[in-house]
């Protein structure tokens, strides 16, 4: 006998889609088909696709609606309540069941099986095969019997959808009733007008499944906003997966996004799931999306549009239902004009843009943010007596904040360490100058030369500092912590002259 807890676990795993899959797998063992579709009757006028199975199944069928007035043979089947085999003809007046969605040859086999409960039609099962005369009377009888199991899963799916619609309505109601979500979501601190607009946009888009593009300078809190959208969405119980797209070449980007199979490339000692697969039913946050290699962008576009992809080194198509949230600190439209970012991908991602203001445009939030960080650092440094003097607060207000909220956090942490007693005065506030930031940017963009070229530059710099002197306490060899003879040997090899 199965334990109640185990039975409950099995029932939770046996979703309507899983039930349909199991029954259709059973049907396929007896009746060869290339496409099986389960449709629900939504009204007297149309049917809606709920599930598609088989080699010809396509994402184009998802939520496809079939107008009954255009298919008299289907109306006949629904009215009679009996399974019917339709041998497709080349009659120009005939219209295929999935005309314009699935391309099947003229003369292919089609079976229509009404799905009934207590004599009432709740849907339809269609089986298609490109060959003719596939569906024999014996196979029709089997399909008729197994259709009774399909109808139970269909009714369950309809009930589930009804609950989900109710849940979505409740999600909208919940977010609309939330006051300041910044008090609920970690880090979304502020009450300036521009920041309130951001919070309102988060509340508006969170309950939907729309893709979001977060724009803003470095340090404005793009990942925090992405997490807030996920937390307030109906996907909140599912994974929130992140990927930073900077410094990814094509192969690494493909592996990180879609995973790889064992042996797909040198060093691939085992199979690995990609971020897209890990984020199934949840949210995938792509940070620095502008840096994504353009060669991988078509595959990402297909995965977003159709929900299908393949791991690197595999031909098996996988499915994932993922909400995409992207972030960038550059002008993506300009990237599109320069040919460095695909226009079709840009429009697919830019469904609902949220522009985050820099800290210098929301200075009235500086005091609130400073207090928030001080509370965090009080716990970190085990010091509850950390305070900002009025003079220090004035300095914070007058700083241009090129590094935004992240710079404010770093400045305060450094000030707490320097203050020793926890009283932060102006002299404890050390800022990153704009000039220093520009130097850092130039350094980060510096081209890496060959090993010998880099070594040559280092030696030449040491010789310059030592005025060409090699030996002695202040010689180049001492600066480089090398033996003078070793340094001379390297100089000769690299063609360096004093």
């Amino acid at each position: 006998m199965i334990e109640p807890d185990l039975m409950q676990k099995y029932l939770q795993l046996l979703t309507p889609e899983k039930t349909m899959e199991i029954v259709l797998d059973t049907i396929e063992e007896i009746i060869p088909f290339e496409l099986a579709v389960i449709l629900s009757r939504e009204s007297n006028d149309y049917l809606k696709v709920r599930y598609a199975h088989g080699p010809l199944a396509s994402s184009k069928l998802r939520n496809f609606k079939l107008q009954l007035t255009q298919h008299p043979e289907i109306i006949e089947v629904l009215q009679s309540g009996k399974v019917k085999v339709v041998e497709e003809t080349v009659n120009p007046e005939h219209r295929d069941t999935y005309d314009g969605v699935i391309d099947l040859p003229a003369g292919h086999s089609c079976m229509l099986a009404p799905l009934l409960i207590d004599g009432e039609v709740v849907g339809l099962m269609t089986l298609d095969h490109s060959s003719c005369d596939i569906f024999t009377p014996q196979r029709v009888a089997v399909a008729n019997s197994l259709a009774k199991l399909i109808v139970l899963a269909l009714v369950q799916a309809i009930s589930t959808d009804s609950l989900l619609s109710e849940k979505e309505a409740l999600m909208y109601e919940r977010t609309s009733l939330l006051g300041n979500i910044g008090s609920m979501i970690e880090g979304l601190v502020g009450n300036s007008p521009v920041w309130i607009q951001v919070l309102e946009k988060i509340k508006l888009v969170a309950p939907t499944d729309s893709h979001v593009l977060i724009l803003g300078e470095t340090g404005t809190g793009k990942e925090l906003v992405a997490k807030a959208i996920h937390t307030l969405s109906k996907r909140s119980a599912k994974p929130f997966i992140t990927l930073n797209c900077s410094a990814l070449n094509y192969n690494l980007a493909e592996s990180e996004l879609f995973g790889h199979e064992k042996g797909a490339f040198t060093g691939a000692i085992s199979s690995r799931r990609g971020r897209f697969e890990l984020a199934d039913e949840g949210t995938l946050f792509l940070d620095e999306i502008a840096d994504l290699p353009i060669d991988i962008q078509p595959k990402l576009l297909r995965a977003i549009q159709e929900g299908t992809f393949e791991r690197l080194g595999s031909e098996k198509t996988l499915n994932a239902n993922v909400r995409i949230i992207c972030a960038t600190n550059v002008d993506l439209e300009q990237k599109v004009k320069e040919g460095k970012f695909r226009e079709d991908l840009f429009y697919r991602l830019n469904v609902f843009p949220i522009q985050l203001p820099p800290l210098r445009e929301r200075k009235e939030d500086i005091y609130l943010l400073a207090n928030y960080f001080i509370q965090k650092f009080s716990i970190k440094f085990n010091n509850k007596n950390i305070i900002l003097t009025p003079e220090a607060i004035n300095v914070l207000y007058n700083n241009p904040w090129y590094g935004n909220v992240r710079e404010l956090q770093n400045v305060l942490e450094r000030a707490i360490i320097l203050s020793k007693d926890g009283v932060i005065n102006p002299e404890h506030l050390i800022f990153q100058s704009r000039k220093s930031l520009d130097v850092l940017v130039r350094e980060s963009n510096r081209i890496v030369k060959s090993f010998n070229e880099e070594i040559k530059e280092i030696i030449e710099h040491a010789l310059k500092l030592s005025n060409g002197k090699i030996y002695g306490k202040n010689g180049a060899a001492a600066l480089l912590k090398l033996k003078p003879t070793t340094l001379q040997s390297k100089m000769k090899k690299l063609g360096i002259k004093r």
Side-chain angles (χ1 to χ4, degrees):
M1 181 177 177
I2 300 176
E3 293 292 332
D5 289 347
L6 190 57
M7 176 62 77
Q8 183 65 29
K9 180 181 179 182
Y10 287 152
L11 290 173
Q12 289 173 350
L13 292 172
L14 199 60
T15 62
E17 291 78 11
K18 188 64 177 176
T19 303
M20 292 181 194
E21 182 182 341
I22 292 170
V23 177
L24 289 174
D25 282 340
T26 304
I27 292 175
E28 193 173 14
E29 291 176 5
I30 307 166
I31 308 172
F33 62 77
E34 293 177 328
L35 176 65
V37 180
I38 311 299
L39 305 98
S40 61
R41 188 166 190 171
E42 300 297 314
S43 71
N44 291 327
D45 299 324
Y46 72 92
L47 301 173
K48 177 183 174 182
V49 172
R50 292 280 179 168
Y51 186 77
H53 186 71
L56 295 180
S58 166
S59 60
K60 294 178 182 178
L61 284 168
R62 190 178 299 160
N63 294 324
F64 173 75
K65 293 180 179 179
L66 190 148
Q67 295 293 329
L68 289 173
T69 53
Q70 299 173 357
H71 300 274
E73 70 279 5
I74 295 179
I75 294 176
E76 179 189 339
V77 167
L78 296 179
Q79 288 175 345
S80 68
K82 295 179 181 179
V83 177
K84 181 178 180 180
V85 174
V86 181
E87 296 293 345
E88 304 287 6
T89 70
V90 292
N91 185 344
E93 295 182 2
H94 175 79
R95 184 165 185 175
D96 287 344
T97 309
Y98 306 109
D99 185 35
V101 180
I102 302 295
D103 188 20
L104 285 163
H108 72 271
S109 297
C110 176
M111 183 192 297
L112 306 175
L115 303 174
L116 303 94
I117 284 186
D118 294 333
E120 183 180 348
V121 176
V122 295
L124 179 76
M125 176 175 71
T126 67
L127 301 180
D128 287 276
H129 198 287
S130 55
S131 302
C132 60
D133 301 325
I134 288 291
F135 305 132
T136 64
Q138 294 84 355
R139 288 170 172 170
V140 169
V142 172
N144 190 43
S145 298
L146 292 175
K148 295 172 183 177
L149 295 176
I150 286 287
V151 74
L152 295 176
L154 177 59
V155 171
Q156 187 183 357
I158 294 170
S159 300
T160 302
D161 269 10
S162 177
L163 289 172
L164 286 174
S165 297
E166 185 179 347
K167 180 183 177 183
E168 188 166 330
L170 289 171
M171 289 291 294
Y172 274 108
E173 185 178 357
R174 185 193 72 169
T175 53
S176 66
L177 291 173
L178 287 177
N180 180 12
I181 63 171
S183 63
M184 300 179 63
I185 307 297
E186 178 76 12
L188 295 183
V189 178
N191 59 14
S192 61
V194 290
W195 190 244
I196 293 297
Q197 284 183 6
V198 170
L199 300 182
E200 289 301 319
K201 287 183 178 181
I202 292 172
K203 288 161 61 177
L204 186 65
V205 77
T208 75
D209 259 346
S210 297
H211 304 315
V212 181
L213 178 62
I214 305 171
L215 307 164
E217 296 178 7
T218 298
T220 49
K222 294 185 286 293
E223 186 169 354
L224 278 176
V225 170
K227 286 180 179 177
I229 293 170
H230 174 75
T231 301
L232 295 173
S233 75
K234 56 190 175 185
R235 296 173 179 259
S236 58
K238 299 297 182 180
F240 177 81
I241 304 297
T242 66
L243 176 64
N244 192 306
C245 299
S246 60
L248 292 178
N249 59 32
Y250 173 81
N251 286 332
L252 184 56
E254 185 175 18
S255 174
E256 289 291 334
L257 276 170
F258 306 113
H260 62 256
E261 296 294 342
K262 181 179 179 180
F265 52 85
T266 303
I269 58 175
S270 63
S271 297
R272 180 172 176 267
R273 293 194 295 167
R275 301 295 210 282
F276 219 87
E277 196 172 343
L278 292 169
D280 188 23
E281 302 296 332
T283 303
L284 176 59
F285 175 57
L286 299 176
D287 200 7
E288 308 293 351
I289 186 66
D291 294 333
L292 188 70
I294 196 163
D295 293 339
I296 195 64
Q297 291 178 21
K299 189 168 182 179
L300 175 60
L301 178 64
R302 176 201 165 205
I304 295 172
Q305 286 178 328
E306 301 182 11
T308 60
F309 59 94
E310 293 81 32
R311 289 182 185 174
L312 184 62
S314 172
E315 295 181 355
K316 181 181 178 182
T317 299
L318 302 173
N319 296 282
N321 176 8
V322 177
R323 182 188 197 175
I324 303 293
I325 301 178
C326 297
T328 181
N329 61 357
V330 303
D331 186 345
L332 265 189
E333 288 190 79
Q334 185 59 37
K335 285 269 188 179
V336 170
K337 291 176 183 177
E338 294 170 358
K340 296 178 181 178
F341 200 87
R342 288 181 64 100
E343 186 176 21
D344 47 5
L345 179 59
F346 168 71
Y347 286 116
R348 177 62 62 175
L349 298 174
N350 193 33
V351 177
F352 193 90
I354 297 179
Q355 180 73 51
L356 302 190
L359 187 55
R360 58 185 172 275
E361 292 180 9
R362 46 181 292 225
K363 286 201 169 186
E364 52 264 67
D365 292 334
I366 289 176
Y367 184 71
L368 292 175
L369 285 163
N371 274 333
Y372 167 74
F373 289 128
I374 285 174
Q375 288 175 15
K376 287 186 66 176
F377 293 137
S378 295
I379 299 171
K380 180 178 179 179
F381 295 108
N382 195 26
N383 183 354
K384 296 182 179 180
N385 298 316
I386 300 173
I387 60 170
L388 276 165
T389 63
E391 294 79 12
I393 293 172
N394 189 50
V395 171
L396 292 178
Y397 270 110
N398 292 321
N399 188 62
W401 298 114
Y402 299 116
N404 293 295
V405 179
R406 187 180 299 137
E407 184 189 358
L408 174 61
Q409 179 179 355
N410 293 341
V411 166
L412 288 173
E413 183 171 6
R414 187 162 51 235
I416 291 168
I417 296 170
L418 292 172
S419 68
K420 296 181 182 179
D421 59 357
V423 179
I424 300 174
N425 290 301
E427 60 268 24
H428 301 136
L429 300 172
I430 301 174
F431 303 100
Q432 181 75 60
S433 69
R434 183 71 191 190
K435 183 177 179 181
S436 299
L437 286 172
D438 290 339
V439 169
L440 287 173
V441 170
R442 286 199 301 272
E443 285 295 317
S444 66
N445 293 330
R446 189 170 70 91
I447 297 172
V448 177
K449 300 177 182 178
S450 70
F451 181 75
N452 284 340
E453 287 175 324
E454 295 284 357
I455 292 296
K456 185 177 180 180
E457 282 193 6
I458 292 170
I459 292 174
E460 287 176 340
H461 184 60
L463 288 169
K464 185 177 179 180
L465 292 175
S466 63
N467 295 318
K469 181 181 176 184
I470 295 177
Y471 290 84
K473 182 179 179 181
N474 297 317
L479 290 174
L480 297 172
K481 294 182 173 56
L482 293 174
K483 292 181 179 179
T485 52
T486 301
L487 176 58
Q488 287 177 318
S489 175
K490 290 185 179 295
M491 289 170 60
K492 184 177 180 181
K493 181 180 179 181
L494 298 171
I496 299 173
K497 297 180 180 179
R498 282 191 285 172

